[in-house]
Amino acid sequence: MAAEIISPRSIDQEPLDPAFALHRGGKMEIRATVPVRDADDLSLAYTPGVARVCTAIAEQPDLVNDYTWKSKVVAVVTDGTAVLGLGDIGPEASLPVMEGKAILFKQFGGVDAVPIALATKDTDEIVETVIRLAPSFGGVNLEDISAPRCFEIERRLQEALDIPIFHDDQHGTAVVTLAALRNAARLTGRTLADLRAVISGAGAAGIAIAKILVGAGIGDVSLCDRQGVVHVGRTDLTDVKREIAELTNRGGLTGSLADVLEGADVFIGVSGGTVPEEAVAKMAKDCFVFAMANPNPEVHPDVAHKYAAVVATGRSDYPNQINNVLAFPGIFAGALQVRASRITEGMKIAAADALAALVGDELSAAKVIPSPFDERVAPAVTKAVAEAARAEGVARI
């Protein structure tokens, strides 16, 4: 169900919806980090002093990372085609979300971010535009770009640029899901290798979750779209789904979502659909239900708790929220810290493992993932990602 679009009563009437009051004038501003108090300050911050720095960078381009903010700033780029539950609402209407993303980068990871909403849906134009903007940024966070274009856009940008390109709707969700699933398995005395998972939704998040679970050693995982299980025997698959079919469903399952849920250890919902209670009832003993559609989970938590040992959602009003803010600030902070050329699967898995480890002895059915407000989160993820970048040879310092 799409989110309801609400307008203020009038700019001259009160009371306004508090969300409108908070957003008036925007949620961000640019602040100087150096003083400009007098002519001497001005001559250093701008001409003539700045010319010496420009000349040095022209002679040694890598110095841009030391003498500008490039190495600690991310572009948050969207075309406004898949914004939250609102869908394709356009670039202007996406800006409140992009501003929100930018302040989360700063609040939770100490990373500066600039919202950039593009007035095009054309894949080639988006790629070309970001490539031309890239000299100003240390990384690019792609946001709320609809599938399947988001896969090609991310791939082409990463091939063209030597800075991290990260589509958060895919990989942020995948990292936090893996962390929660590791702890759910630990709580019930199992490992990932013991689990068979079923994912409902073969869009950006579903495909990324399937990939990271395979990379992390899941026993098996089947991905389902509207036609049922994504498997190699189907003739209607896109290139992206054909690729994921080769990596997943080692058990060779076919049929509907309800068919493959029977006996499954894990349900992961990123589809927005509804799963009948009778299908959940046929899952394995001590199963896990991660129903992450917002605002209406695929399985209502009250129903899920009848059958599952661990229940997670995408909502903040239930325990175990799978919230991307646990991942992306620290992932980018770690990548920027070592000036990584890309964000690898190993760096994502390292981020998930760091998140999972923070729960520690507090592990319970109501806590398989830390709170976004746990001050240990960003430092732990940053450290793990930086170390993984060095281990995988993509770090430059």
Side-chain angles (χ1 to χ4, degrees):
M1 180 184 296
E4 182 183 2
I5 300 176
I6 301 173
S7 298
R9 293 170 58 192
S10 163
I11 59 172
D12 298 321
Q13 291 179 329
E14 294 294 343
L16 292 175
D17 180 319
F20 285 93
L22 182 142
H23 282 79
R24 186 181 291 277
K27 302 190 291 284
M28 300 176 60
E29 64 181 4
I30 299 293
R31 289 182 179 270
T33 60
V34 297
V36 184
R37 298 161 299 194
D38 51 36
D40 288 341
D41 288 345
L42 183 60
S43 69
L44 289 174
Y46 199 55
T47 186
V50 71
R52 299 197 295 277
V53 180
C54 293
T55 301
I57 294 171
E59 294 173 353
Q60 299 181 57
D62 285 349
L63 291 179
V64 69
N65 294 297
D66 296 310
Y67 295 108
T68 73
W69 75 336
K70 175 183 170 72
S71 65
K72 60 178 183 178
V73 67
V74 170
V76 180
V77 177
T78 190
D79 63 358
T81 55
V83 181
L84 302 178
L86 301 171
D88 184 354
I89 60 174
E92 289 86 359
S94 76
L95 272 175
V97 177
M98 300 310 115
E99 287 185 3
K101 196 79 174 191
I103 65 174
L104 294 179
F105 264 112
K106 188 67 173 180
Q107 175 72 25
F108 292 101
V111 173
D112 290 301
V114 177
I116 299 175
L118 302 178
T120 178
K121 300 178 187 178
D122 183 85
T123 295
D124 291 340
E125 291 180 353
I126 292 171
V127 170
E128 291 167 6
T129 301
V130 175
I131 288 172
R132 284 165 172 75
L133 290 170
S136 297
F137 299 98
V140 175
N141 183 91
L142 300 173
E143 188 75 19
D144 293 346
I145 298 173
S146 62
R149 296 173 311 121
C150 59
F151 302 111
E152 181 182 352
I153 290 168
E154 183 185 47
R155 176 184 59 78
R156 287 174 57 183
L157 285 174
Q158 192 59 83
E159 288 173 355
L161 300 172
D162 64 348
I163 58 175
I165 311 296
F166 187 84
H167 185 214
D168 186 51
D169 301 313
Q170 294 183 58
H171 309 301
T173 306
V175 166
V176 183
T177 300
L178 173 58
L181 190 55
R182 280 206 190 281
N183 275 336
R186 179 164 71 93
L187 180 68
T188 56
R190 290 176 284 179
T191 67
L192 288 181
D194 299 320
L195 304 176
R196 178 170 74 84
V198 176
I199 301 172
S200 174
I207 287 174
I209 292 168
K211 285 183 177 180
I212 202 170
L213 292 184
V214 169
I218 192 82
D220 199 5
V221 56
S222 300
L223 190 67
C224 296
D225 61 12
R226 290 182 179 88
Q227 282 67 51
V229 179
V230 175
H231 62 82
V232 292
R234 281 176 51 178
T235 59
D236 62 339
L237 300 180
T238 63
D239 290 343
V240 172
K241 289 183 181 180
R242 191 173 297 110
E243 178 188 357
I244 201 65
E246 296 284 350
L247 297 174
T248 60
N249 197 38
R250 290 190 290 269
L253 301 177
T254 59
S256 68
L257 173 67
D259 292 333
V260 294
L261 268 183
E262 186 168 354
D265 302 292
V266 185
F267 168 77
I268 297 171
V270 283
S271 66
T274 300
V275 179
E277 181 174 347
E278 53 267 31
V280 181
K282 293 180 180 179
M283 292 180 66
K285 184 178 182 294
D286 290 332
C287 64
F288 313 137
V289 172
F290 289 12
M292 299 186 289
N294 252 326
N296 300 311
E298 294 87 350
V299 182
H300 192 280
D302 292 344
V303 173
H305 278 296
K306 295 181 184 179
Y307 309 100
V310 176
V311 177
T313 73
R315 291 174 50 149
S316 60
D317 52 347
Y318 291 101
N320 298 322
Q321 183 190 20
I322 306 300
N323 191 332
N324 290 14
V325 77
L326 287 162
F328 69 83
I331 289 174
F332 265 101
L336 295 177
Q337 184 181 92
V338 297
R339 297 179 191 166
S341 58
R342 61 190 302 115
I343 295 172
T344 66
E345 288 301 308
M347 292 160 72
K348 297 169 200 171
I349 291 174
D353 291 347
L355 279 175
L358 287 177
V359 175
D361 294 338
E362 297 178 8
L363 180 64
S364 70
K367 187 170 184 178
V368 295
I369 198 76
S371 164
F373 297 100
D374 184 333
E375 294 181 355
R376 302 173 300 162
V377 167
V381 173
T382 299
K383 181 174 184 290
V385 168
E387 290 175 351
R390 291 191 177 101
E392 300 207 344
V394 297
R396 283 177 283 211
I397 59 173

